[in-house]
Amino acid sequence: MAGRPGGATGRPPLTERRRAETRMEIAEEAVRLFAAKGVAAVTAEDIASAAGVSTRTLWRYFRSKEECVRPLLTTGLELLTEHLRDCRGDHESLAEAILSIRYDDETSPRVRALRDLLRLGRDEPGLRAVWLEAHYDAEAAFAAVIAERTGRPAGDLAVRVEAGVLNTAMRIAVEEWALRSDGAAGPSFAETVTRALRMVDVVERG
């Protein structure tokens, strides 16, 4: 997801940040190679070499070459979850809280890489599986946030349904932006997400 929520949060330790940076560098190189050559033609050794790490290091971080792209998919979702926790009580609904996020410039290399990745996922089952797995994990995180906001158990049916609706709206919005927009001529990421979440906000308000 391309959102980068505003608001100050505690910085992780240097080693943790460096680990996250390395994972993201691997992810970006993997997408670049997949887009240029096709997933089948790219090896884990190719990705490791392009990212400037050993193959052993790559396998320490990821279970498969397709999973190398996961940081591009999960970083935004993790930042979103942090934002929702930080702004608890500031907004009437989760949709409104998400709409308060400031999104990255769509011309940035990382956002372009995300778009390339989602487009590749249309024809690459392995990449598509990583994308869906990321959202499966995100749904549990959304449920935890909703539970904190409402005082209900995270396993409550209503909490899980609300988390599922929010998660699905975000997933479809990002896919819509990546797969159907045409550069500057198409709807922006923010516009697409806003439209989807306005629909969810109506559901939340009943």
Side-chain angles (χ1 to χ4, degrees), residues 95-159:
E96 288 178 335
I98 296 172
L99 290 173
S100 71
I101 293 172
R102 298 188 301 273
Y103 293 103
D104 286 347
D105 183 351
E106 293 188 27
T107 63
S108 72
R110 190 161 295 174
V111 175
R112 291 201 304 269
L114 174 62
R115 173 175 281 168
D116 288 343
L117 174 55
L118 293 178
R119 288 176 173 175
L120 283 168
R122 288 179 297 182
D123 303 313
E124 295 289 349
L127 296 181
R128 184 70 177 175
V130 175
W131 170 239
L132 295 177
E133 183 181 0
H135 271 278
Y136 180 84
D137 294 342
E139 189 168 308
F142 289 151
V145 171
I146 293 169
E148 291 174 10
R149 287 170 63 97
T150 63
R152 293 175 291 174
D156 181 79
L157 178 61
V159 170

Short mmCIF file of all heavy atoms in Angstrom, two decimals, residues 95-159:
data_model
loop_
_atom_site.label_atom_id
_atom_site.label_comp_id
_atom_site.label_asym_id
_atom_site.label_seq_id
_atom_site.Cartn_x
_atom_site.Cartn_y
_atom_site.Cartn_z
N ALA A 95 -12.59 4.52 8.67
CA ALA A 95 -12.47 5.07 7.31
C ALA A 95 -12.01 6.52 7.36
O ALA A 95 -11.14 6.93 6.59
CB ALA A 95 -13.80 4.95 6.57
N GLU A 96 -12.59 7.31 8.26
CA GLU A 96 -12.17 8.71 8.39
C GLU A 96 -10.72 8.80 8.83
O GLU A 96 -9.98 9.67 8.38
CB GLU A 96 -13.07 9.42 9.40
CG GLU A 96 -14.48 9.69 8.90
CD GLU A 96 -15.33 10.36 9.95
OE1 GLU A 96 -15.02 10.19 11.15
OE2 GLU A 96 -16.29 11.04 9.58
N ALA A 97 -10.31 7.91 9.73
CA ALA A 97 -8.92 7.91 10.20
C ALA A 97 -7.96 7.63 9.05
O ALA A 97 -6.91 8.26 8.93
CB ALA A 97 -8.74 6.87 11.30
N ILE A 98 -8.32 6.68 8.20
CA ILE A 98 -7.46 6.35 7.06
C ILE A 98 -7.43 7.51 6.07
O ILE A 98 -6.39 7.82 5.48
CB ILE A 98 -7.95 5.07 6.37
CG1 ILE A 98 -7.82 3.88 7.33
CG2 ILE A 98 -7.16 4.79 5.09
CD1 ILE A 98 -8.45 2.60 6.81
N LEU A 99 -8.56 8.19 5.90
CA LEU A 99 -8.62 9.30 4.96
C LEU A 99 -7.77 10.49 5.41
O LEU A 99 -7.48 11.38 4.62
CB LEU A 99 -10.07 9.73 4.75
CG LEU A 99 -10.93 8.73 3.96
CD1 LEU A 99 -12.38 9.17 3.96
CD2 LEU A 99 -10.41 8.60 2.53
N SER A 100 -7.37 10.50 6.68
CA SER A 100 -6.53 11.59 7.19
C SER A 100 -5.05 11.38 6.87
O SER A 100 -4.23 12.25 7.15
CB SER A 100 -6.71 11.73 8.70
OG SER A 100 -6.11 10.63 9.39
N ILE A 101 -4.72 10.25 6.27
CA ILE A 101 -3.32 9.93 5.96
C ILE A 101 -2.83 10.77 4.79
O ILE A 101 -3.55 11.03 3.83
CB ILE A 101 -3.19 8.43 5.62
CG1 ILE A 101 -3.47 7.58 6.87
CG2 ILE A 101 -1.82 8.11 5.04
CD1 ILE A 101 -3.54 6.11 6.57
N ARG A 102 -1.57 11.17 4.88
CA ARG A 102 -0.90 11.83 3.75
C ARG A 102 -0.20 10.75 2.93
O ARG A 102 0.64 10.01 3.46
CB ARG A 102 0.13 12.85 4.25
CG ARG A 102 -0.47 13.98 5.06
CD ARG A 102 0.57 15.05 5.35
NE ARG A 102 1.72 14.51 6.07
CZ ARG A 102 1.78 14.42 7.39
NH1 ARG A 102 0.75 14.77 8.13
NH2 ARG A 102 2.87 13.95 7.98
N TYR A 103 -0.51 10.68 1.65
CA TYR A 103 0.03 9.62 0.81
C TYR A 103 1.31 10.04 0.10
O TYR A 103 1.52 11.22 -0.18
CB TYR A 103 -1.02 9.18 -0.22
CG TYR A 103 -2.21 8.51 0.40
CD1 TYR A 103 -3.41 9.19 0.55
CD2 TYR A 103 -2.12 7.21 0.89
CE1 TYR A 103 -4.50 8.58 1.16
CE2 TYR A 103 -3.21 6.59 1.49
CZ TYR A 103 -4.39 7.29 1.62
OH TYR A 103 -5.46 6.69 2.22
N ASP A 104 2.13 9.03 -0.19
CA ASP A 104 3.38 9.28 -0.90
C ASP A 104 3.11 9.84 -2.30
O ASP A 104 2.08 9.60 -2.91
CB ASP A 104 4.17 7.97 -1.07
CG ASP A 104 4.83 7.52 0.22
OD1 ASP A 104 4.88 8.32 1.16
OD2 ASP A 104 5.26 6.36 0.27
N ASP A 105 4.10 10.57 -2.81
CA ASP A 105 4.07 11.05 -4.19
C ASP A 105 4.05 9.85 -5.12
O ASP A 105 4.89 8.95 -5.02
CB ASP A 105 5.31 11.91 -4.44
CG ASP A 105 5.34 12.51 -5.83
OD1 ASP A 105 4.50 12.14 -6.67
OD2 ASP A 105 6.21 13.36 -6.07
N GLU A 106 3.11 9.83 -6.04
CA GLU A 106 2.99 8.66 -6.92
C GLU A 106 4.13 8.53 -7.93
O GLU A 106 4.24 7.52 -8.61
CB GLU A 106 1.64 8.71 -7.65
CG GLU A 106 0.48 8.52 -6.71
CD GLU A 106 -0.86 8.37 -7.44
OE1 GLU A 106 -0.85 7.92 -8.60
OE2 GLU A 106 -1.88 8.71 -6.84
N THR A 107 4.96 9.56 -8.03
CA THR A 107 6.12 9.46 -8.94
C THR A 107 7.34 8.89 -8.23
O THR A 107 8.37 8.69 -8.86
CB THR A 107 6.48 10.84 -9.51
OG1 THR A 107 6.87 11.72 -8.44
CG2 THR A 107 5.29 11.46 -10.25
N SER A 108 7.23 8.61 -6.94
CA SER A 108 8.38 8.09 -6.21
C SER A 108 8.70 6.67 -6.68
O SER A 108 7.80 5.92 -7.07
CB SER A 108 8.10 8.08 -4.70
OG SER A 108 7.16 7.08 -4.36
N PRO A 109 9.97 6.28 -6.66
CA PRO A 109 10.35 4.94 -7.13
C PRO A 109 9.62 3.82 -6.39
O PRO A 109 9.24 2.82 -7.00
CB PRO A 109 11.86 4.90 -6.86
CG PRO A 109 12.29 6.32 -6.88
CD PRO A 109 11.14 7.09 -6.29
N ARG A 110 9.39 4.00 -5.10
CA ARG A 110 8.76 2.93 -4.33
C ARG A 110 7.30 2.74 -4.73
O ARG A 110 6.80 1.63 -4.81
CB ARG A 110 8.87 3.22 -2.84
CG ARG A 110 8.46 2.07 -1.96
CD ARG A 110 9.03 2.23 -0.56
NE ARG A 110 10.48 2.15 -0.59
CZ ARG A 110 11.26 2.36 0.46
NH1 ARG A 110 10.73 2.67 1.62
NH2 ARG A 110 12.57 2.26 0.36
N VAL A 111 6.61 3.84 -4.99
CA VAL A 111 5.20 3.74 -5.41
C VAL A 111 5.12 3.15 -6.82
O VAL A 111 4.24 2.33 -7.10
CB VAL A 111 4.52 5.12 -5.34
CG1 VAL A 111 3.10 5.04 -5.89
CG2 VAL A 111 4.49 5.62 -3.90
N ARG A 112 6.04 3.55 -7.69
CA ARG A 112 6.05 2.95 -9.03
C ARG A 112 6.33 1.46 -8.95
O ARG A 112 5.76 0.66 -9.70
CB ARG A 112 7.10 3.65 -9.91
CG ARG A 112 6.73 5.08 -10.28
CD ARG A 112 7.50 5.54 -11.51
NE ARG A 112 8.94 5.40 -11.34
CZ ARG A 112 9.73 6.37 -10.86
NH1 ARG A 112 9.21 7.54 -10.52
NH2 ARG A 112 11.02 6.19 -10.75
N ALA A 113 7.22 1.06 -8.04
CA ALA A 113 7.53 -0.35 -7.87
C ALA A 113 6.30 -1.12 -7.39
O ALA A 113 6.04 -2.24 -7.83
CB ALA A 113 8.68 -0.53 -6.89
N LEU A 114 5.53 -0.52 -6.49
CA LEU A 114 4.31 -1.16 -6.01
C LEU A 114 3.33 -1.37 -7.15
O LEU A 114 2.72 -2.43 -7.28
CB LEU A 114 3.67 -0.30 -4.92
CG LEU A 114 2.30 -0.79 -4.41
CD1 LEU A 114 2.43 -2.17 -3.78
CD2 LEU A 114 1.71 0.22 -3.43
N ARG A 115 3.19 -0.36 -7.99
CA ARG A 115 2.27 -0.49 -9.13
C ARG A 115 2.75 -1.60 -10.08
O ARG A 115 1.95 -2.43 -10.52
CB ARG A 115 2.17 0.84 -9.87
CG ARG A 115 1.37 0.75 -11.16
CD ARG A 115 1.20 2.12 -11.80
NE ARG A 115 0.15 2.86 -11.14
CZ ARG A 115 -0.07 4.16 -11.33
NH1 ARG A 115 0.71 4.85 -12.13
NH2 ARG A 115 -1.06 4.76 -10.71
N ASP A 116 4.04 -1.61 -10.37
CA ASP A 116 4.58 -2.66 -11.24
C ASP A 116 4.31 -4.05 -10.64
O ASP A 116 3.95 -4.98 -11.36
CB ASP A 116 6.09 -2.47 -11.42
CG ASP A 116 6.44 -1.28 -12.29
OD1 ASP A 116 5.55 -0.79 -13.00
OD2 ASP A 116 7.60 -0.84 -12.24
N LEU A 117 4.49 -4.15 -9.33
CA LEU A 117 4.30 -5.43 -8.66
C LEU A 117 2.86 -5.91 -8.76
O LEU A 117 2.60 -7.09 -9.08
CB LEU A 117 4.70 -5.30 -7.19
CG LEU A 117 4.44 -6.49 -6.28
CD1 LEU A 117 5.10 -7.74 -6.82
CD2 LEU A 117 4.93 -6.19 -4.87
N LEU A 118 1.91 -5.04 -8.52
CA LEU A 118 0.51 -5.44 -8.58
C LEU A 118 0.09 -5.79 -10.01
O LEU A 118 -0.72 -6.69 -10.22
CB LEU A 118 -0.37 -4.34 -8.01
CG LEU A 118 -0.21 -4.10 -6.51
CD1 LEU A 118 -1.10 -2.95 -6.04
CD2 LEU A 118 -0.53 -5.35 -5.72
N ARG A 119 0.67 -5.11 -10.96
CA ARG A 119 0.37 -5.44 -12.35
C ARG A 119 0.96 -6.80 -12.72
O ARG A 119 0.33 -7.60 -13.42
CB ARG A 119 0.89 -4.35 -13.28
CG ARG A 119 0.07 -3.06 -13.19
CD ARG A 119 0.64 -1.94 -14.03
NE ARG A 119 -0.26 -0.80 -14.05
CZ ARG A 119 0.01 0.36 -14.63
NH1 ARG A 119 1.18 0.54 -15.24
NH2 ARG A 119 -0.86 1.34 -14.59
N LEU A 120 2.15 -7.08 -12.25
CA LEU A 120 2.75 -8.39 -12.48
C LEU A 120 1.91 -9.50 -11.85
O LEU A 120 1.80 -10.61 -12.39
CB LEU A 120 4.17 -8.43 -11.89
CG LEU A 120 5.27 -7.74 -12.67
CD1 LEU A 120 6.52 -7.62 -11.81
CD2 LEU A 120 5.58 -8.51 -13.95
N GLY A 121 1.32 -9.20 -10.70
CA GLY A 121 0.55 -10.19 -9.97
C GLY A 121 -0.67 -10.70 -10.71
O GLY A 121 -1.19 -11.78 -10.38
N ARG A 122 -1.12 -9.97 -11.71
CA ARG A 122 -2.28 -10.44 -12.49
C ARG A 122 -1.98 -11.77 -13.16
O ARG A 122 -2.88 -12.62 -13.28
CB ARG A 122 -2.63 -9.40 -13.57
CG ARG A 122 -3.27 -8.13 -13.06
CD ARG A 122 -3.56 -7.18 -14.19
NE ARG A 122 -2.35 -6.73 -14.86
CZ ARG A 122 -2.30 -5.85 -15.86
NH1 ARG A 122 -3.43 -5.34 -16.31
NH2 ARG A 122 -1.17 -5.49 -16.39
N ASP A 123 -0.76 -11.95 -13.62
CA ASP A 123 -0.40 -13.14 -14.39
C ASP A 123 0.59 -14.04 -13.67
O ASP A 123 1.04 -15.04 -14.24
CB ASP A 123 0.19 -12.72 -15.75
CG ASP A 123 -0.75 -11.84 -16.54
OD1 ASP A 123 -1.94 -12.19 -16.63
OD2 ASP A 123 -0.30 -10.79 -17.04
N GLU A 124 0.95 -13.69 -12.44
CA GLU A 124 1.93 -14.47 -11.68
C GLU A 124 1.30 -14.95 -10.38
O GLU A 124 1.22 -14.20 -9.40
CB GLU A 124 3.18 -13.63 -11.40
CG GLU A 124 3.97 -13.21 -12.63
CD GLU A 124 4.69 -14.40 -13.27
OE1 GLU A 124 4.74 -15.47 -12.64
OE2 GLU A 124 5.19 -14.23 -14.39
N PRO A 125 0.84 -16.20 -10.33
CA PRO A 125 0.16 -16.70 -9.14
C PRO A 125 0.99 -16.59 -7.87
O PRO A 125 0.45 -16.34 -6.78
CB PRO A 125 -0.13 -18.17 -9.48
CG PRO A 125 -0.14 -18.20 -10.98
CD PRO A 125 0.86 -17.20 -11.41
N GLY A 126 2.31 -16.77 -7.97
CA GLY A 126 3.17 -16.69 -6.79
C GLY A 126 3.15 -15.30 -6.18
O GLY A 126 3.09 -15.15 -4.95
N LEU A 127 3.20 -14.27 -7.01
CA LEU A 127 3.16 -12.89 -6.51
C LEU A 127 1.77 -12.56 -5.97
O LEU A 127 1.63 -11.87 -4.95
CB LEU A 127 3.53 -11.91 -7.62
CG LEU A 127 4.95 -12.03 -8.17
CD1 LEU A 127 5.18 -10.97 -9.24
CD2 LEU A 127 5.99 -11.90 -7.07
N ARG A 128 0.76 -13.07 -6.65
CA ARG A 128 -0.61 -12.83 -6.20
C ARG A 128 -0.83 -13.46 -4.82
O ARG A 128 -1.49 -12.87 -3.96
CB ARG A 128 -1.59 -13.44 -7.21
CG ARG A 128 -3.06 -13.18 -6.89
CD ARG A 128 -3.41 -11.73 -7.09
NE ARG A 128 -4.82 -11.46 -6.88
CZ ARG A 128 -5.35 -10.25 -6.91
NH1 ARG A 128 -4.58 -9.22 -7.14
NH2 ARG A 128 -6.63 -10.08 -6.70
N ALA A 129 -0.26 -14.62 -4.61
CA ALA A 129 -0.40 -15.29 -3.31
C ALA A 129 0.23 -14.47 -2.20
O ALA A 129 -0.32 -14.39 -1.09
CB ALA A 129 0.23 -16.69 -3.38
N VAL A 130 1.37 -13.86 -2.48
CA VAL A 130 2.04 -13.03 -1.47
C VAL A 130 1.17 -11.81 -1.13
O VAL A 130 1.04 -11.42 0.04
CB VAL A 130 3.44 -12.59 -1.96
CG1 VAL A 130 4.08 -11.63 -0.96
CG2 VAL A 130 4.33 -13.80 -2.15
N TRP A 131 0.58 -11.21 -2.14
CA TRP A 131 -0.30 -10.06 -1.95
C TRP A 131 -1.51 -10.43 -1.09
O TRP A 131 -1.86 -9.72 -0.13
CB TRP A 131 -0.74 -9.56 -3.31
CG TRP A 131 -1.83 -8.52 -3.37
CD1 TRP A 131 -3.03 -8.64 -4.01
CD2 TRP A 131 -1.82 -7.19 -2.82
NE1 TRP A 131 -3.76 -7.49 -3.89
CE2 TRP A 131 -3.04 -6.58 -3.17
CE3 TRP A 131 -0.89 -6.48 -2.08
CZ2 TRP A 131 -3.37 -5.29 -2.79
CZ3 TRP A 131 -1.21 -5.18 -1.69
CH2 TRP A 131 -2.43 -4.60 -2.05
N LEU A 132 -2.14 -11.55 -1.38
CA LEU A 132 -3.31 -11.97 -0.61
C LEU A 132 -2.93 -12.36 0.81
O LEU A 132 -3.68 -12.10 1.76
CB LEU A 132 -4.01 -13.13 -1.32
CG LEU A 132 -4.63 -12.79 -2.68
CD1 LEU A 132 -5.23 -14.03 -3.33
CD2 LEU A 132 -5.69 -11.70 -2.54
N GLU A 133 -1.77 -12.98 0.98
CA GLU A 133 -1.31 -13.34 2.31
C GLU A 133 -1.05 -12.09 3.16
O GLU A 133 -1.36 -12.06 4.35
CB GLU A 133 -0.04 -14.18 2.23
CG GLU A 133 0.48 -14.66 3.58
CD GLU A 133 1.75 -15.47 3.49
OE1 GLU A 133 2.26 -15.66 2.36
OE2 GLU A 133 2.25 -15.91 4.54
N ALA A 134 -0.50 -11.06 2.52
CA ALA A 134 -0.25 -9.81 3.24
C ALA A 134 -1.56 -9.22 3.75
O ALA A 134 -1.63 -8.72 4.88
CB ALA A 134 0.47 -8.82 2.33
N HIS A 135 -2.59 -9.30 2.93
CA HIS A 135 -3.88 -8.76 3.36
C HIS A 135 -4.58 -9.66 4.37
O HIS A 135 -5.33 -9.17 5.22
CB HIS A 135 -4.77 -8.48 2.15
CG HIS A 135 -4.56 -7.10 1.61
ND1 HIS A 135 -5.17 -6.00 2.15
CD2 HIS A 135 -3.78 -6.65 0.61
CE1 HIS A 135 -4.78 -4.92 1.49
NE2 HIS A 135 -3.93 -5.29 0.56
N TYR A 136 -4.34 -10.93 4.30
CA TYR A 136 -4.87 -11.84 5.33
C TYR A 136 -4.30 -11.45 6.70
O TYR A 136 -5.04 -11.37 7.69
CB TYR A 136 -4.50 -13.28 4.98
CG TYR A 136 -5.00 -14.30 5.98
CD1 TYR A 136 -6.30 -14.79 5.92
CD2 TYR A 136 -4.17 -14.76 7.00
CE1 TYR A 136 -6.76 -15.72 6.85
CE2 TYR A 136 -4.61 -15.68 7.93
CZ TYR A 136 -5.91 -16.16 7.85
OH TYR A 136 -6.37 -17.07 8.78
N ASP A 137 -3.01 -11.20 6.75
CA ASP A 137 -2.38 -10.78 8.00
C ASP A 137 -2.87 -9.40 8.42
O ASP A 137 -3.07 -9.13 9.62
CB ASP A 137 -0.86 -10.74 7.85
CG ASP A 137 -0.26 -12.13 7.64
OD1 ASP A 137 -0.95 -13.12 7.95
OD2 ASP A 137 0.88 -12.21 7.15
N ALA A 138 -3.10 -8.51 7.44
CA ALA A 138 -3.56 -7.16 7.75
C ALA A 138 -4.95 -7.18 8.36
O ALA A 138 -5.27 -6.37 9.25
CB ALA A 138 -3.56 -6.30 6.49
N GLU A 139 -5.77 -8.12 7.94
CA GLU A 139 -7.14 -8.19 8.46
C GLU A 139 -7.13 -8.45 9.97
O GLU A 139 -7.92 -7.87 10.72
CB GLU A 139 -7.92 -9.28 7.73
CG GLU A 139 -9.40 -9.29 8.05
CD GLU A 139 -10.17 -10.17 7.10
OE1 GLU A 139 -10.02 -9.98 5.86
OE2 GLU A 139 -10.91 -11.05 7.56
N ALA A 140 -6.23 -9.32 10.41
CA ALA A 140 -6.11 -9.59 11.84
C ALA A 140 -5.65 -8.33 12.58
O ALA A 140 -6.11 -8.05 13.70
CB ALA A 140 -5.14 -10.74 12.08
N ALA A 141 -4.75 -7.58 11.96
CA ALA A 141 -4.27 -6.35 12.59
C ALA A 141 -5.39 -5.31 12.67
O ALA A 141 -5.54 -4.62 13.69
CB ALA A 141 -3.09 -5.78 11.79
N PHE A 142 -6.20 -5.20 11.63
CA PHE A 142 -7.33 -4.28 11.65
C PHE A 142 -8.33 -4.69 12.74
O PHE A 142 -8.89 -3.84 13.44
CB PHE A 142 -8.04 -4.26 10.30
CG PHE A 142 -7.26 -3.59 9.20
CD1 PHE A 142 -7.43 -3.97 7.88
CD2 PHE A 142 -6.37 -2.57 9.48
CE1 PHE A 142 -6.72 -3.36 6.86
CE2 PHE A 142 -5.65 -1.94 8.47
CZ PHE A 142 -5.83 -2.34 7.15
N ALA A 143 -8.56 -6.00 12.88
CA ALA A 143 -9.48 -6.47 13.90
C ALA A 143 -8.99 -6.09 15.29
O ALA A 143 -9.78 -5.70 16.17
CB ALA A 143 -9.66 -7.99 13.79
N ALA A 144 -7.68 -6.19 15.51
CA ALA A 144 -7.11 -5.82 16.81
C ALA A 144 -7.32 -4.33 17.09
O ALA A 144 -7.64 -3.94 18.21
CB ALA A 144 -5.63 -6.16 16.85
N VAL A 145 -7.16 -3.49 16.06
CA VAL A 145 -7.36 -2.05 16.23
C VAL A 145 -8.83 -1.76 16.54
O VAL A 145 -9.15 -0.95 17.43
CB VAL A 145 -6.93 -1.29 14.96
CG1 VAL A 145 -7.33 0.18 15.06
CG2 VAL A 145 -5.42 -1.40 14.76
N ILE A 146 -9.73 -2.40 15.81
CA ILE A 146 -11.16 -2.18 16.05
C ILE A 146 -11.54 -2.63 17.45
O ILE A 146 -12.32 -1.97 18.14
CB ILE A 146 -11.98 -2.95 14.99
CG1 ILE A 146 -11.76 -2.34 13.61
CG2 ILE A 146 -13.47 -2.93 15.34
CD1 ILE A 146 -12.31 -3.17 12.47
N ALA A 147 -10.97 -3.74 17.90
CA ALA A 147 -11.24 -4.24 19.24
C ALA A 147 -10.78 -3.22 20.29
O ALA A 147 -11.48 -2.96 21.28
CB ALA A 147 -10.54 -5.58 19.46
N GLU A 148 -9.61 -2.62 20.07
CA GLU A 148 -9.10 -1.61 21.00
C GLU A 148 -10.02 -0.39 21.05
O GLU A 148 -10.26 0.18 22.12
CB GLU A 148 -7.69 -1.18 20.58
CG GLU A 148 -6.63 -2.26 20.77
CD GLU A 148 -5.29 -1.82 20.21
OE1 GLU A 148 -5.15 -0.63 19.86
OE2 GLU A 148 -4.38 -2.66 20.13
N ARG A 149 -10.52 0.00 19.88
CA ARG A 149 -11.37 1.19 19.80
C ARG A 149 -12.74 0.97 20.42
O ARG A 149 -13.34 1.90 20.95
CB ARG A 149 -11.55 1.60 18.33
CG ARG A 149 -10.33 2.22 17.67
CD ARG A 149 -10.53 2.35 16.17
NE ARG A 149 -11.63 3.23 15.83
CZ ARG A 149 -11.51 4.52 15.51
NH1 ARG A 149 -10.30 5.09 15.53
NH2 ARG A 149 -12.55 5.26 15.21
N THR A 150 -13.25 -0.25 20.34
CA THR A 150 -14.63 -0.52 20.75
C THR A 150 -14.75 -1.27 22.07
O THR A 150 -15.85 -1.38 22.61
CB THR A 150 -15.35 -1.33 19.66
OG1 THR A 150 -14.70 -2.60 19.50
CG2 THR A 150 -15.34 -0.58 18.33
N GLY A 151 -13.64 -1.83 22.55
CA GLY A 151 -13.69 -2.60 23.77
C GLY A 151 -14.29 -3.98 23.61
O GLY A 151 -14.63 -4.65 24.59
N ARG A 152 -14.40 -4.42 22.36
CA ARG A 152 -14.92 -5.76 22.09
C ARG A 152 -13.76 -6.72 21.83
O ARG A 152 -12.68 -6.29 21.45
CB ARG A 152 -15.86 -5.74 20.88
CG ARG A 152 -17.16 -4.98 21.12
CD ARG A 152 -17.98 -4.89 19.83
NE ARG A 152 -17.34 -4.04 18.84
CZ ARG A 152 -17.77 -3.89 17.59
NH1 ARG A 152 -18.81 -4.58 17.17
NH2 ARG A 152 -17.14 -3.09 16.76
N PRO A 153 -13.98 -8.03 21.96
CA PRO A 153 -12.91 -8.99 21.65
C PRO A 153 -12.58 -8.97 20.16
O PRO A 153 -13.46 -8.77 19.31
CB PRO A 153 -13.53 -10.34 22.06
CG PRO A 153 -14.68 -10.01 22.93
CD PRO A 153 -15.19 -8.69 22.48
N ALA A 154 -11.30 -9.21 19.86
CA ALA A 154 -10.88 -9.23 18.46
C ALA A 154 -11.55 -10.36 17.68
O ALA A 154 -11.69 -10.28 16.45
CB ALA A 154 -9.36 -9.36 18.37
N GLY A 155 -11.96 -11.42 18.40
CA GLY A 155 -12.61 -12.53 17.73
C GLY A 155 -14.11 -12.38 17.59
O GLY A 155 -14.77 -13.27 17.04
N ASP A 156 -14.66 -11.27 18.06
CA ASP A 156 -16.10 -11.01 17.94
C ASP A 156 -16.49 -10.97 16.47
O ASP A 156 -15.78 -10.39 15.64
CB ASP A 156 -16.43 -9.68 18.61
CG ASP A 156 -17.90 -9.35 18.55
OD1 ASP A 156 -18.67 -9.90 19.36
OD2 ASP A 156 -18.27 -8.52 17.69
N LEU A 157 -17.62 -11.56 16.14
CA LEU A 157 -18.04 -11.64 14.73
C LEU A 157 -18.14 -10.27 14.10
O LEU A 157 -17.67 -10.05 12.97
CB LEU A 157 -19.37 -12.38 14.61
CG LEU A 157 -19.96 -12.50 13.19
CD1 LEU A 157 -19.00 -13.27 12.29
CD2 LEU A 157 -21.33 -13.17 13.24
N ALA A 158 -18.76 -9.33 14.80
CA ALA A 158 -18.92 -7.99 14.25
C ALA A 158 -17.57 -7.31 14.00
O ALA A 158 -17.39 -6.61 13.00
CB ALA A 158 -19.78 -7.14 15.18
N VAL A 159 -16.63 -7.52 14.91
CA VAL A 159 -15.29 -6.96 14.75
C VAL A 159 -14.61 -7.55 13.53
O VAL A 159 -14.01 -6.84 12.71
CB VAL A 159 -14.44 -7.20 16.02
CG1 VAL A 159 -12.98 -6.83 15.77
CG2 VAL A 159 -14.99 -6.40 17.18
#
